[in-house]
Amino acid sequence: MATVRLLADEDLSPEARAVFADIRATRKSDFVNNFWRALAHDPVTLKRTWESVKAVMGPGVLDPKVKEMLYIAVSIAHACPYCIHSHTASARAKGMSEEEYRELLAIVGMASETNRLVTALGVPLDEEYEVV
């Protein structure tokens, strides 16, 4: 359940309306998801967050599908159901197969387990892994 009312297009401030227009243009879609609708109450945070997401998730060295898969992994680690669902949908739209999704989940599960074991055991870092 949202802690704020999700703003409809007709409820947006001019500043938020401009960010929504950029979201739609960038994504080539009329759909603006609930995350942005919740953030629209604070146009400054909305704009700052959208600009950061656009820069990080936009064109770069990593393939767009890989970026979405990394976002899924971090969202699982941070237990964010909304982000898990939205970025899984986005990764699938960018070509992630069910086999890739299953392997991603296996890696996230394995990393979570071994991270906890290393932490619980207090395993010291190997000298070979230290950056010079």
Side-chain angles (χ1 to χ4, degrees):
M1 173 181 277
T3 61
V4 297
R5 185 172 62 85
L6 302 177
L7 297 181
D9 286 0
E10 57 270 10
D11 299 325
L12 299 174
S13 68
E15 297 84 6
R17 192 176 309 276
V19 174
F20 275 37
D22 190 41
I23 291 170
R24 288 180 168 117
T26 301
R27 293 183 169 172
K28 297 176 178 62
S29 172
D30 286 334
F31 178 68
V32 176
N33 66 36
N34 287 341
F35 174 65
W36 303 112
R37 293 184 180 284
L39 280 182
H41 287 277
D42 181 354
V44 172
T45 300
L46 171 68
K47 182 176 181 175
R48 183 188 73 242
T49 305
W50 169 242
E51 292 297 329
S52 293
V53 166
K54 190 167 59 166
V56 170
M57 297 304 285
V61 176
L62 294 175
D63 181 87
K65 178 179 74 173
V66 171
K67 288 184 176 193
E68 293 295 345
M69 292 172 74
L70 288 166
Y71 215 116
I72 294 166
V74 172
S75 298
I76 292 168
H78 287 270
C80 179
Y82 186 88
C83 296
I84 293 166
H85 282 69
S86 65
H87 289 279
T88 297
S90 187
R92 285 179 170 140
K94 289 176 173 63
M96 180 182 70
S97 69
E98 290 308 306
E99 293 80 13
E100 288 173 314
Y101 185 60
R102 286 193 298 271
E103 190 169 334
L104 169 68
L105 294 181
I107 293 166
V108 170
M110 186 81 277
S112 295
E113 179 182 343
T114 58
N115 287 182
R116 281 195 229 72
L117 289 170
V118 165
T119 300
L121 295 169
V123 179
L125 183 63
D126 301 86
E127 285 183 28
E128 292 81 3
Y129 299 145
E130 293 184 21
V131 178
V132 180

